[in-house]
Amino acid sequence: QKEVEQDPGPLSVPEGAIVSLNCTYSNSAFQYFMWYRQYSRKGPELLMYTYSSGNKEDGRFTAQVDKSSKYISLFIRDSQPSDSATYLCAMSGGGSEKLVFGKGTKLTVNP
Amino acid sequence: NAGVTQTPKFRVLKTGQSMTLLCAQDMNHEYMYWYRQDPGMGLRLIHYSVGEGTTAKGEVPDGYNVSRLKKQNFLLGLESAAPSQTSVYFCASSQLAGSYNEQFFGPGTRLTVL
C-alpha cells in the first residue's frame, strides 16, 4: 500500500460546480496536511494547510482532515476556469524532513 | 525577493552527456530538495539537504549526484545522461518548524535526453 493515494483523474466540471478532491494515507504519524496547486508548466504552490483533524476555510476553498479515517479532502465552491490546474495533496509528520505527495489530480473547469 | 530560481529552464542532452542543474534560494532556508515529475508518477524525491554541506538520498537517487557547498545553492548533477532521465526537475526549499514543512518550489527545468 502506498503511503498516500490520490485519484489522478482527470476531472472535468462546468463553471460554478462544487469540486471535491481527496487523498487517503496510511501513516498515522502525519500531522500536517497540505494542498498544493500546480498550473501547467509551473512549479507547485501551497494552497492550504491543516494541522491535525478538522476543517479550514479560505474563500471558496475548504480543506478537511479526518484522521480517524486517514482521509483528507479539498472542496472548491463556485469553481472558476482559473481553478483549472493539478492539485497535489502532501503530508508531513513524525519529525521527518520530507513531504509525502500524492500523484495529483488534474482538474479542468469549463466555461 | 526571487524565491527559488532554477537554471537552466530547458535543456536537450544526448545520451552519455553530463550536465548540472542549479537551484538558488534567497529565503535563508535550511532545507533544499530535488524532485523529478513524470506523467502518472507524481513528484518523486531524488536527493535532499538538511543544511549546508549535507546531502541525503531520496526515493530515486540513482544516476544523480548533488552538492550543497553554499546554503543558498543546491546543485543536481547527471554524470552520464540516459533517456530515462527525460523529465521535469523541480527544486524546493523549506524551513522546518516542528513537522510543518511548507516547501517553496522553483519554476522547473525541462530536460530531454535523446
Side-chain angles (χ1 to χ4, degrees):
Chain A
Q1 181 186 10
K2 292 189 184 297
E3 225 172 351
V4 178
E5 301 267 13
Q6 183 177 10
D7 186 339
L11 186 60
S12 182
V13 302
E15 183 175 352
I18 296 174
V19 176
S20 172
L21 304 168
N22 311 292
C23 288
T24 60
Y25 64 95
S26 58
N27 189 343
S28 57
F30 289 146
Q31 296 173 291
Y32 286 94
F33 303 89
M34 302 174 178
W35 287 95
Y36 279 79
R37 180 171 60 192
Q38 184 178 19
Y39 290 115
S40 181
R41 306 180 81 84
K42 301 288 187 183
E45 292 181 305
L46 181 68
L47 181 63
M48 294 184 71
Y49 82 90
T50 309
Y51 174 70
S52 193
S53 284
N55 293 2
K56 188 172 185 178
E57 190 172 317
D58 184 2
R60 296 183 295 109
F61 298 89
T62 300
Q64 285 186 352
V65 175
D66 182 348
K67 291 193 75 176
S68 63
S69 301
K70 294 189 175 66
Y71 187 89
I72 71 169
S73 300
L74 177 70
F75 297 96
I76 307 174
R77 292 183 300 279
D78 187 25
S79 56
Q80 302 295 308
S82 58
D83 296 328
S84 298
T86 296
Y87 291 80
L88 301 100
C89 62
M91 307 175 190
S92 64
S96 173
E97 59 271 10
K98 293 178 279 187
L99 273 180
V100 182
F101 285 90
K103 290 188 177 181
T105 300
K106 184 173 183 179
L107 170 68
T108 301
V109 181
N110 301 299
Chain B
N1 188 341
V4 180
T5 58
Q6 293 183 232
T7 309
K9 290 184 169 51
F10 304 93
R11 186 72 186 268
V12 178
L13 290 179
K14 294 181 179 178
T15 296
Q17 287 185 319
S18 64
M19 77 164 294
T20 300
L21 284 68
L22 170 64
C23 175
Q25 53 96 4
D26 61 3
M27 296 173 282
N28 202 35
H29 285 168
E30 289 292 333
Y31 297 78
M32 297 188 75
Y33 307 81
W34 275 108
Y35 295 90
R36 59 178 290 175
Q37 188 175 41
D38 304 288
M41 302 296 291
L43 283 166
R44 291 184 291 171
L45 183 64
I46 304 171
H47 286 281
Y48 64 101
S49 168
V50 300
E52 182 178 314
T54 75
T55 63
K57 293 181 180 180
E59 181 185 354
V60 289
D62 294 342
Y64 304 95
N65 57 75
V66 286
S67 64
R68 182 102 181 265
L69 298 179
K70 293 183 179 180
K71 186 177 183 179
Q72 63 269 32
N73 296 337
F74 195 27
L75 282 74
L76 178 71
L78 285 73
E79 292 182 343
S80 179
S84 61
Q85 294 178 305
T86 293
S87 187
V88 182
Y89 292 85
F90 288 102
C91 175
S93 71
S94 71
Q95 189 69 18
L96 250 65
S99 292
Y100 180 62
N101 186 358
E102 178 184 356
Q103 294 186 10
F104 294 80
F105 284 81
T109 295
R110 293 184 172 272
L111 174 66
T112 301
V113 183
L114 302 175

